[in-house]
Amino acid sequence: MTRIIQKFGGSSVADAASIKCVARRIAASRQAGNEIVVVISAMGDTTDDLMDLALEVSPQPAPRELDMLLTTGERQSAALLAMALSDLGVPARSYTGSQAGVITTAAHGNAHIIDITPGRIVSSLAGGNVVIVAGFQGVSQTTKDVTTLGRGASDTTAVALASALGADFCEIYTDVDGIFTADPRIVPGARGIPSISYEEMLETAASGAKVLHLRCVEYARREDVRVHVRSSFSDKPGTWVMDVSDSEEEREASMPDMEEAIISGVCHDRSEAKITIAGIPDSIGRAAKIFEIVARADINIDMIVQNASRVMNGRTDLSFTLPMTDGRRATEAIRAAQAEIGFEQLLYDDQIGKVSAVGFGHRYPSVEIWSTSALDQPWRMTHEEIGAVADLLHAMHVAVGPHVPCNEEWHHRPVGVGVPVPWRVNLKLRVSTLAGFEGGTKIYVNTISPAALAARLLPELFRARSAGRIAPMDLGEECEVPRGVLACTRMR
């Protein structure tokens, strides 16, 4: 029996007729022999209406009470869908996020999922029920209060449940027919994309596409959950978001040199704002102080630009973009620290837009080296665990060779952050090709696919091991790890 997570967005359950239509789709899927868990959003504009109501009552509603209010929208639609299924002869149980075992951090309005304990869901499935879970919400591990995961985070709830329940895949039903090369409402010739990699979808979501929530894609990639984006209003095939290494290898076989730029699509985002901090003392640690202040306000930054230092007064300007909805909080936090930072002027502009070209073509070829330690902060690991990563990193540098300039990007869980971030080192090869006629665009593109990069590095690793230039390690098919890994070291 196939276990499927199905998520339906607000536009899919906008009214009673829509809810009945969704119930018929779920019933048909169950009749086909599938186990179904449904994650549902609030009906239509319910969340916006509740927010407007809260602001009428209080100009600055308490975050805890706002979460209590906003989560009622999903609870309403979950109960209504269970009623509709019951009328079709399909037994169904609806649960809130906390009843479903969604455990989160304590940050009201933007909590992160820590764990899922799906005992009640599993019991209900065993009893022959369709399980309906209210999306967008959970319960804090520490305070036991109801929390919300941020706007659009029902996608994240669905993928997290798919991982916790070992589902075969997760279906995201929305009001579009899948992922397109551009917004079809703006670009009539935009084409549907049958399948897209997690990495490309991450970039697409981060660049302004609203089809999938960014954290949902991050979760799907980390847990290797296949996501199927489909329309609630048609039976079109939609788009699969998954590991597409198989298709990469097929493309490699048909085009041996792989000297091509691969662009998946074009995205736009009109919901960003820009903050410019002018006249900052150009000294070590000043930018870090600014970003620390913004991080304490729980605000994500997108793009960062720093001007060259002005020699005459030793000051510089720093600009960054962020979600427009966070603009006020960011400017207030920075302005409150003006004496500490020492800047001269703070400028805010929300009349901007962003256009992004998405795909491997705009990335540098990279090799990621992951630690398998249960810890996610290098300074807490054992000497052997650190040595294993160091051996792999050294081996990759040897395989790449001294003629190729490289950057190392280290990723791990920062101090004071509760969300797990496994330690990994991203080795970027700074090789690229100028795009456009005679390179006139000054845009650089990566012409090496992941499969082609592996084919180039693996023989070098074998030669280096035979010559004793790298530590003893398993290579290629010798590795008992997921495919796509060039080499691994084992604790002995």
Side-chain angles (χ1 to χ4, degrees):
M1 181 178 290
T2 302
R3 179 173 288 180
I4 304 172
I5 310 299
Q6 296 182 337
K7 180 264 177 179
F8 292 89
S11 60
S12 302
V13 291
D15 51 34
S18 300
I19 290 174
K20 290 180 180 179
C21 182
V22 165
R24 288 192 292 271
R25 183 184 285 270
I26 294 169
S29 183
R30 184 177 182 274
Q31 191 172 4
N34 300 315
E35 275 190 331
I36 306 296
V37 176
V38 177
V39 175
I40 196 163
S41 298
M43 296 172 61
D45 297 324
T46 298
T47 302
D48 290 333
D49 294 340
L50 289 171
M51 178 63 79
D52 291 342
L53 181 61
L55 293 175
E56 287 182 22
V57 172
S58 170
Q60 290 186 319
R64 180 190 182 277
E65 305 311 321
L66 189 60
D67 277 0
M68 286 286 289
L69 174 67
L70 295 182
T71 53
T72 61
E74 281 72 17
R75 292 170 61 182
Q76 179 188 64
S77 54
L80 290 170
L81 180 59
M83 295 175 192
L85 284 167
S86 179
D87 286 349
L88 295 175
V90 178
R93 289 289 182 92
S94 65
Y95 293 110
T96 67
S98 60
Q99 289 172 335
V102 181
I103 313 300
T104 74
T105 59
H108 288 291
N110 195 32
H112 287 251
I113 296 174
I114 297 173
D115 191 18
I116 292 183
T117 54
R120 295 185 72 176
I121 296 177
V122 173
S123 297
S124 292
L125 288 174
N129 294 284
V130 168
V131 176
I132 305 165
V133 177
F136 167 68
Q137 61 188 262
V139 60
S140 167
Q141 185 180 47
T142 53
T143 66
K144 309 305 178 186
D145 286 331
V146 170
T147 56
T148 60
L149 309 178
R151 296 299 295 268
S154 292
D155 294 350
T156 309
T157 305
V159 170
L161 282 171
S163 173
L165 293 167
D168 294 84
F169 54 89
C170 176
E171 292 183 323
I172 304 290
Y173 285 94
T174 181
D175 56 358
V176 296
D177 293 326
I179 312 298
F180 285 77
T181 54
D183 189 336
R185 294 168 297 185
I186 298 175
V187 184
R191 300 187 304 275
I193 302 174
S195 65
I196 188 170
S197 70
Y198 295 123
E199 291 78 9
E200 289 171 307
M201 193 63 232
L202 273 171
E203 189 176 351
T204 300
S207 298
K210 306 299 183 185
V211 180
L212 286 180
H213 194 266
L214 177 61
R215 278 158 54 191
C216 150
V217 187
E218 291 175 336
Y219 210 112
R221 181 194 181 196
R222 185 171 69 246
E223 302 298 329
D224 196 22
V225 174
R226 293 189 302 152
V227 178
H228 193 189
V229 182
R230 306 182 64 186
S231 171
S232 300
F233 310 107
S234 75
D235 292 321
K236 293 184 178 179
T239 301
W240 284 95
V241 182
M242 58 184 181
D243 182 352
V244 294
S245 54
D246 286 339
S247 60
E248 286 289 343
E249 290 186 353
E250 291 170 6
R251 194 182 296 144
E252 173 80 10
S254 62
M255 302 181 66
D257 59 1
M258 283 304 296
E259 295 299 323
E260 63 164 339
I262 308 168
I263 303 298
S264 300
V266 177
C267 299
H268 73 283
D269 190 354
R270 288 180 281 203
S271 65
E272 292 206 341
K274 181 180 70 171
I275 290 178
T276 298
I277 307 171
I280 307 169
D282 192 9
S283 58
I284 296 174
R286 199 67 58 148
K289 174 59 66 176
I290 293 170
F291 297 136
E292 181 183 340
I293 291 167
V294 175
R296 282 204 301 265
D298 203 20
I299 294 171
N300 289 323
I301 289 174
D302 186 8
M303 296 185 291
I304 303 170
V305 176
Q306 181 170 342
N307 293 343
S309 177
R310 297 190 288 274
V311 178
M312 67 288 297
N313 62 3
R315 290 181 176 267
T316 186
D317 302 334
L318 179 70
S319 298
F320 58 86
T321 61
L322 73 168
M324 193 185 302
T325 52
D326 293 333
R328 178 180 174 183
R329 286 193 297 127
T331 53
E332 288 177 351
I334 295 169
R335 190 171 283 116
Q338 183 169 6
E340 181 182 3
I341 300 170
F343 64 87
E344 296 174 344
Q345 190 177 12
L346 182 64
L347 305 173
Y348 177 77
D349 182 7
D350 58 10
Q351 300 301 305
I352 67 168
K354 179 178 72 171
V355 177
S356 306
V358 177
F360 284 120
H362 281 267
R363 295 196 184 97
Y364 287 100
S366 303
V367 177
E368 279 194 342
I369 298 163
W370 289 67
S371 170
T372 57
S373 171
L375 302 174
D376 53 7
Q377 294 175 319
W379 56 90
R380 298 174 57 207
M381 296 180 184
T382 66
H383 178 77
E384 290 77 14
E385 290 171 329
I386 295 173
V389 174
D391 286 344
L392 283 170
L393 185 57
H394 171 257
M396 292 306 160
H397 276 295
V398 170
V400 170
H403 57 288
V404 178
C406 298
N407 283 4
E408 292 179 13
E409 292 182 353
W410 288 42
H411 303 267
H412 56 75
R413 181 166 63 87
V415 175
V417 174
V419 179
V421 182
W423 180 34
R424 67 191 187 277
V425 181
N426 189 13
L427 184 64
K428 283 189 172 183
L429 283 60
R430 306 303 254 183
V431 293
S432 53
T433 302
L434 277 167
F437 179 72
E438 297 294 332
T441 61
K442 301 302 181 185
I443 296 174
Y444 290 84
V445 296
N446 165 27
T447 61
I448 305 175
S449 75
L453 182 61
R456 295 182 186 192
L457 294 184
L458 197 53
E460 296 296 331
L461 287 169
F462 277 109
R463 282 191 283 269
R465 187 179 66 176
S466 297
R469 298 174 59 209
I470 61 175
M473 64 181 64
D474 295 326
L475 300 171
E477 298 299 327
E478 302 168 355
C479 302
E480 295 180 3
V481 292
R483 57 190 312 258
V485 174
L486 294 178
C488 66
T489 57
R490 297 181 181 179
M491 302 300 172
R492 300 192 185 278

